[in-house]
Amino acid sequence: GCHEKQHRLVEHLLLYHSSLINQCIRISLKSCWQIESHVQSFGSTWLGLAIRIVSGLVVFFFHPQPPHREPTQEQIDMQTRSLERYLEDQKKRDKNVARLDESPKKYKPAKKYKKDLEKLQRRHDNFSANAVKEAEQIFDNMFEACIWQDAKNCEKGEEQKSEWPDASVYNILMDIHARSHSKQGIEKALNILHRMEEGNPESHIASPNAESYAMLIKAYAERNQPEEAQAVLKRMEAMSKNKDSSSSLVPNTLVYNEVLSAWMKSNRPDAPEQAERLLRVMIDAINNVMRQKEEEDDFDEMYTAEDVEQMGDINDDLDSLLDVSDVSDEELEAALGEDGKLLDDDNDDDDDIMKEIQSHPLMPDAKSFVRVLRTFRQRSGPDDLDKVHELVHAQEVLARVTASVDLMPTTLTYNELVATLGETAANATTTSEDHAAQAEAMLYEMIEQSREDRPEIKPNLVTFRHVIFAYRHWKQARIVAHKVEKLLEIQEGFLGRTDERNYHAAFAVISKSNDPNKVPVIWRLLQQMNRHGLEPTSLSYDAVLDACAHPMKPKDPREAMSIAIAVMKRIETKSQLTYAHFLKTCRELLPEGPKREELVSNVFSNCCKEGWVGRKVMAEFLQVASSETIVEALGGHPKEGSIKIPRTWSRSIENPFQLLGGKKEKETKAQP
């Protein structure tokens, strides 16, 4: 007990600096030598002799070369003070030297760190480097907080109860990395997934779940990398076959839908076939369950033998629509009750079977079919419309057979069918009028059924917009303007609202049609837009001018010309297209004469002042103006030689080009 302070310092060194063990041993030996000097008073007693022998053995084993002389009290005090100063310096340089109950940071509970990550995730669509760094710092603080909490509990002899980051926290971090601006963001997200796969409970690293893989697949989809998304799915399937893996790693509908989304966003020619193959896998899984129930005689309780024979194998080939495409509605009703539910002898047993089928991990939902439908709609090949019809019918049948509410076709489903009718009108073997009529008929059917007992297929603004676009290839019809105007009236009466995009779609379709009444109709729609409180854009006005300038002569040229002039007065911010359309309107509607020359000259002069003289404006001006007006405006005629155009005339155009050529130059020149 004569050197308690010195031994206390040794304990601190052993606790915080294990690398200094040798130095501690030397100091302890010196303490032994000091103890030896204190027992000299025992003389040659047996106790003194024993102490001398023990001290000698300690010195022999731990210090081969004992000191020539014993350290003095002054030397011992000096070494003690040196150790004290060393520990004080270490505490200043390293905050972690503090005791475990003296945390260097004021950590928050783990739940609050998770909420901070969720707020950061919701706050951004694309993450900058600073946002990613902030997310990493939040995660590190959360992990350190768990370490300190467990250490404190361990020191107190309590059970370790820290809430370590779970899979949802890692998923948020993966999502932030994947949606970052960095090109290496997706690689960092993949590294996090690998770390989760290699983790174990002792390392406190959460194991991945289905959402982890879905998050990474979604990131590849956003970066237009469907093959990589497919590879992640295969990796997940391989992991799920591992005996040690949890059931949460089994691929489910969420994961498959994300892969379908990746192919849908890729816009690749083979995307429809790839998406259809994935959908076939999902339906195969459901078919296997039904076959199993059939072998267990449960399936026979739900259907009669005649019903099973009529419906056939539900998934021999998807091209035959679950083998029920050729089954009529009457035949299908024979297998279903009046309320659309399956006929059965034991309701409880059948309900259990239906719940088991509906809860299958790969049970497709409405989103699964919508993604596959959109891949075919985007390609819009000659045979894709038939495939879309088949898929929609397959979805309807599968939803009724499985009694799955999530699988029932929705508005999105029929919107894809209506949009496909419009997209394939130009490439179809039948006339485009048939496609437009089918789209309109489907709209009316959706309205009727939604009013009866199917509110989930109620048409929305997108539905009406797709039907309007279906008429854009109906160039030979002379009632397009009336059709489109009528659709907007039905939309307002049924939905009680409208938006700018549907009006813009109507303007685009009407302006390109051959309807002789299109000018007054489009002018009425423009005024109606103002009454609804919708502000027309420059595109809206350009569409009206384009309608006035279309080669199809209106019934009253003076009315069309007055509408074009009124539109020019309304437009506050004009563009090159605005002036080009108006000059073309003058050429189509006004007879040659002084009044036309004066109007054209004034319009071209304003165009020069506002800096909108481009190739399109110059081309229209050279066609509508007389030689005298051209020479007066340009200082010469292009037929007589090259004409230099001041750059200020094109200052509002982002990339002024050579008017009749295509090369970018400092000055715009008109050449013959």
Side-chain angles (χ1 to χ4, degrees):
C2 58
H3 293 289
E4 293 179 0
K5 186 174 182 180
Q6 196 176 53
H7 283 292
R8 230 175 15 250
L9 294 174
V10 172
E11 288 178 1
H12 279 279
L13 286 170
L14 287 174
L15 180 61
Y16 299 115
H17 301 280
S18 59
S19 61
L20 301 178
I21 288 180
N22 291 331
Q23 184 176 352
C24 297
I25 292 176
R26 292 191 184 97
I27 296 171
S28 299
L29 288 173
K30 292 177 183 178
S31 298
C32 291
W33 303 329
Q34 187 66 23
I35 292 172
E36 185 181 359
S37 65
H38 281 282
V39 299
Q40 292 296 328
S41 58
F42 286 99
S44 58
T45 61
W46 287 104
L47 178 61
L49 181 61
I51 293 176
R52 286 172 181 271
I53 293 173
V54 171
S55 301
L57 290 174
V58 170
V59 171
F60 177 79
F61 284 106
F62 289 94
H63 204 290
Q65 296 181 354
H68 296 291
R69 63 181 183 278
E70 296 179 357
T72 63
Q73 184 64 37
E74 182 179 358
Q75 291 174 334
I76 293 176
D77 293 341
M78 186 182 301
Q79 292 178 353
T80 301
R81 288 193 297 271
S82 176
L83 282 172
E84 290 175 345
R85 288 195 301 270
Y86 175 79
L87 287 177
E88 291 296 331
D89 292 340
Q90 284 296 102
K91 289 180 180 180
K92 292 179 182 179
R93 289 194 299 267
D94 189 0
K95 293 181 179 180
N96 292 330
V97 172
R99 301 290 295 182
L100 292 175
D101 57 352
E102 299 174 359
S103 174
K105 296 181 181 179
K106 292 184 178 180
Y107 291 110
K108 299 183 293 185
K111 292 182 179 179
K112 292 188 176 181
Y113 287 111
K114 183 177 179 180
K115 288 183 178 179
D116 292 341
L117 280 175
E118 291 174 346
K119 289 180 181 178
L120 183 64
Q121 184 187 28
R122 291 192 300 265
R123 197 165 66 233
H124 299 277
D125 291 331
N126 294 309
F127 294 90
S128 62
N130 293 334
V132 173
K133 188 175 181 181
E134 181 182 354
E136 291 177 341
Q137 187 62 49
I138 294 174
F139 180 85
D140 290 343
N141 291 340
M142 182 179 183
F143 211 92
E144 289 177 10
C146 295
I147 293 175
W148 280 101
Q149 185 62 42
D150 275 4
K152 286 172 62 178
N153 295 340
C154 182
E155 187 184 48
K156 295 177 182 179
E158 300 176 357
E159 184 181 356
Q160 300 179 5
K161 298 181 179 180
S162 295
E163 296 182 5
W164 293 87
D166 56 7
S168 63
V169 176
Y170 283 91
N171 292 344
I172 294 174
L173 195 61
M174 286 174 56
D175 183 45
I176 292 175
H177 274 294
R179 289 194 284 144
S180 66
H181 296 161
S182 173
K183 295 181 179 179
Q184 290 77 31
I186 191 70
E187 297 178 3
K188 292 183 178 179
L190 185 60
N191 291 337
I192 294 175
L193 180 63
H194 291 168
R195 184 179 179 185
M196 295 172 69
E197 291 175 342
E198 297 170 358
N200 55 71
E202 296 180 357
S203 64
H204 299 291
I205 297 176
S207 299
N209 54 19
E211 187 179 356
S212 307
Y213 291 91
M215 196 78 69
L216 192 60
I217 292 172
K218 183 178 180 181
Y220 280 120
E222 295 295 335
R223 295 171 184 255
N224 196 16
Q225 296 176 326
E227 290 88 355
E228 287 76 3
Q230 190 91 21
V232 174
L233 174 61
K234 291 182 179 179
R235 180 184 183 90
M236 184 180 181
E237 291 174 342
M239 291 287 295
S240 65
K241 295 177 181 178
N242 189 352
K243 295 181 180 180
D244 299 332
S245 64
S246 63
S247 59
S248 62
L249 279 184
V250 177
N252 56 18
T253 304
L254 173 65
V255 177
Y256 270 79
N257 281 353
E258 292 297 342
V259 181
L260 289 173
S261 179
W263 285 110
M264 178 190 71
K265 294 178 180 179
S266 67
N267 260 338
R268 300 193 180 182
D270 62 333
E273 286 72 25
Q274 296 289 349
E276 184 183 356
R277 185 183 63 81
L278 288 173
L279 183 62
R280 187 192 300 270
V281 172
M282 300 174 72
I283 298 178
D284 279 340
I286 304 302
N287 185 47
N288 291 336
V289 176
M290 289 190 169
R291 285 176 177 172
Q292 182 181 358
K293 296 303 177 184
E294 182 181 358
E295 293 173 358
E296 295 173 357
D297 295 333
D298 292 334
F299 192 73
D300 292 336
E301 294 178 3
M302 298 164 56
Y303 301 99
T304 64
E306 183 180 359
D307 296 333
V308 174
E309 183 179 356
Q310 287 180 350
M311 295 179 65
D313 188 353
I314 198 169
N315 195 36
D316 278 345
D317 188 358
L318 189 60
D319 293 337
S320 62
L321 295 180
L322 318 175
D323 251 2
V324 293
S325 299
D326 299 330
V327 179
S328 65
D329 292 339
E330 291 76 11
E331 292 172 327
L332 185 59
E333 291 295 338
L336 302 171
E338 295 180 357
D339 56 353
K341 296 182 179 180
L342 300 168
L343 296 175
D344 58 304
D345 297 329
D346 191 336
N347 290 332
D348 294 336
D349 293 341
D350 293 344
D351 289 343
D352 293 339
I353 295 173
M354 285 295 97
K355 289 180 181 179
E356 182 179 350
I357 295 175
Q358 294 166 8
S359 62
H360 193 278
L362 289 183
M363 181 68 183
D365 56 15
K367 293 181 180 179
S368 309
F369 278 88
V370 167
R371 283 166 168 78
V372 180
L373 290 171
R374 189 163 298 179
T375 58
F376 284 99
R377 191 253 288 184
Q378 290 171 344
R379 188 172 66 179
S380 298
D383 301 327
D384 290 337
L385 178 59
D386 295 336
K387 178 62 70 174
V388 169
H389 274 292
E390 293 173 356
L391 287 170
V392 171
H393 185 62
Q395 182 181 355
E396 292 172 343
V397 172
L398 186 60
R400 297 174 71 180
V401 169
T402 60
S404 174
V405 178
D406 295 334
L407 188 53
M408 289 295 294
T410 63
T411 303
L412 295 176
T413 305
Y414 293 107
N415 281 356
E416 292 300 324
L417 179 54
V418 173
T420 307
L421 285 167
E423 294 290 342
T424 57
N427 302 326
T429 55
T430 58
T431 60
S432 57
E433 287 87 344
D434 293 340
H435 286 252
Q438 290 178 34
E440 189 173 354
M442 183 165 295
L443 170 66
Y444 297 147
E445 184 178 355
M446 292 173 66
I447 293 175
E448 182 179 356
Q449 292 190 19
S450 64
R451 285 173 172 171
E452 293 177 355
D453 58 349
R454 296 192 63 185
E456 70 275 3
I457 64 171
K458 178 181 178 180
N460 55 20
L461 291 173
V462 178
T463 313
F464 282 90
R465 192 181 313 143
H466 287 323
V467 177
I468 291 173
F469 271 126
Y471 281 99
R472 71 184 182 276
H473 297 295
W474 203 358
K475 295 182 179 180
Q476 301 302 323
R478 304 177 66 84
I479 56 172
V480 171
H482 172 73
K483 283 278 189 182
V484 173
E485 186 179 22
K486 190 66 175 178
L487 285 171
L488 291 176
E489 291 178 3
I490 296 174
Q491 168 194 294
E492 185 179 354
F494 180 70
L495 299 178
R497 60 193 176 95
T498 185
D499 67 351
E500 297 91 339
R501 289 176 293 179
N502 282 21
Y503 274 101
H504 295 160
F507 294 156
V509 172
I510 294 175
S511 64
K512 298 297 183 182
S513 69
N514 292 331
D515 194 333
N517 297 316
K518 64 181 180 180
V519 175
V521 171
I522 203 171
W523 176 246
R524 285 199 302 270
L525 293 179
L526 188 65
Q527 293 175 323
Q528 183 179 331
M529 196 175 177
N530 290 325
R531 288 195 298 270
H532 285 298
L534 303 176
E535 187 66 27
T537 63
S538 58
L539 294 176
S540 306
Y541 290 120
D542 288 344
V544 178
L545 292 174
D546 185 38
C548 297
H550 202 272
M552 174 61 68
K553 294 290 184 180
K555 290 183 177 180
D556 189 355
R558 292 176 297 180
E559 181 185 12
M561 192 66 219
S562 62
I563 290 175
I565 295 174
V567 169
M568 285 294 290
K569 292 180 179 180
R570 285 193 179 191
I571 303 178
E572 296 180 359
T573 304
K574 301 178 177 62
S575 65
Q576 182 183 184
L577 283 177
T578 305
Y579 284 103
H581 287 323
F582 187 78
L583 290 174
K584 185 177 181 181
T585 303
C586 295
R587 175 165 58 89
E588 294 291 337
L589 301 180
L590 292 179
E592 296 182 2
K595 291 185 178 181
R596 188 174 91 168
E597 295 298 326
E598 181 181 1
L599 180 59
V600 169
S601 179
N602 292 336
V603 171
F604 185 77
S605 177
N606 291 334
C607 184
C608 295
K609 292 178 182 179
E610 296 180 9
W612 288 111
V613 178
R615 199 186 325 178
K616 294 181 179 179
V617 172
M618 185 58 70
E620 292 296 338
F621 177 70
L622 294 178
Q623 293 185 61
V624 68
S626 62
S627 299
E628 292 79 7
T629 304
I630 294 174
V631 172
E632 181 181 356
L634 303 180
H637 201 287
K639 294 181 180 180
E640 299 175 356
S642 178
I643 304 297
K644 291 185 178 181
I645 303 299
R647 285 193 296 172
T648 56
W649 288 12
S650 303
R651 66 182 181 276
S652 300
I653 303 176
E654 184 177 357
N655 292 318
F657 282 78
Q658 185 179 355
L659 295 182
L660 301 181
K663 298 179 181 179
K664 186 176 179 180
E665 295 183 350
K666 294 183 178 180
E667 288 186 342
T668 308
K669 300 180 179 180
Q671 297 179 353

